[in-house]
Amino acid sequence: MMIFGKGDKLAPIPMSAAVRELLWSLQGAHKTRVFVRASGDPISISGLDTAFGRAMTKAGIEDFRFHDLRHTTATRLLRQEGNLRMVQKLLRHSDIATTARYAHVLDADLRNALDRMATQNPEENPELATNPLIKNA
């Protein structure tokens, strides 16, 4: 799938097989657009925002914008893969500092990483075996 990003740059959007399958079923209602009204006319960005806002209200969700999904995706991808560059590429950011603002590291993520490090076998990581600051190394 291709989108028009900032500066009207055409950009490919990677997606999971499940999302592709879902969107594939929507093709054909419009020559170049995926999301259309019952009339077949494309849904505008403001129309999408309005529909999203109504869905949030109906679901009882407050203070959540469509754009927040971008932050959620970035955070989940970073938590799963631990690769900020991968998140940068997905979000199409030229500066990784911008990506870092999108991808939120939670305290639980830090605790889990520290717990994994503390239980790691020194033979699996030579740096642990030679580090004088680590007891029993």
Side-chain angles (χ1 to χ4, degrees), residues 64-77:
F64 193 82
R65 304 163 299 141
F66 189 80
H67 186 79
D68 294 333
L69 294 171
R70 196 168 158 86
H71 291 261
T72 301
T73 300
T75 300
R76 288 181 178 175
L77 183 59

Side-chain angles (χ1 to χ4, degrees), residues 32-48:
T32 60
R33 306 297 171 118
V34 174
F35 302 104
V36 297
R37 300 179 186 281
S39 66
D41 295 327
I43 295 176
S44 66
I45 300 238
S46 63
L48 180 62

Side-chain angles (χ1 to χ4, degrees), residues 43-100:
I43 295 176
S44 66
I45 300 238
S46 63
L48 180 62
D49 279 339
T50 299
F52 187 80
R54 287 181 182 149
M56 294 297 98
T57 300
K58 187 175 180 179
I61 299 171
E62 297 177 3
D63 194 29
F64 193 82
R65 304 163 299 141
F66 189 80
H67 186 79
D68 294 333
L69 294 171
R70 196 168 158 86
H71 291 261
T72 301
T73 300
T75 300
R76 288 181 178 175
L77 183 59
L78 181 61
R79 288 180 85 186
Q80 180 173 324
E81 299 298 326
N83 186 332
L84 193 60
R85 293 260 181 222
M86 183 183 289
V87 177
Q88 178 187 17
K89 184 170 180 167
L90 176 68
L91 299 179
R92 299 178 326 277
H93 289 153
S94 57
D95 185 352
I96 200 152
T98 303
T99 308

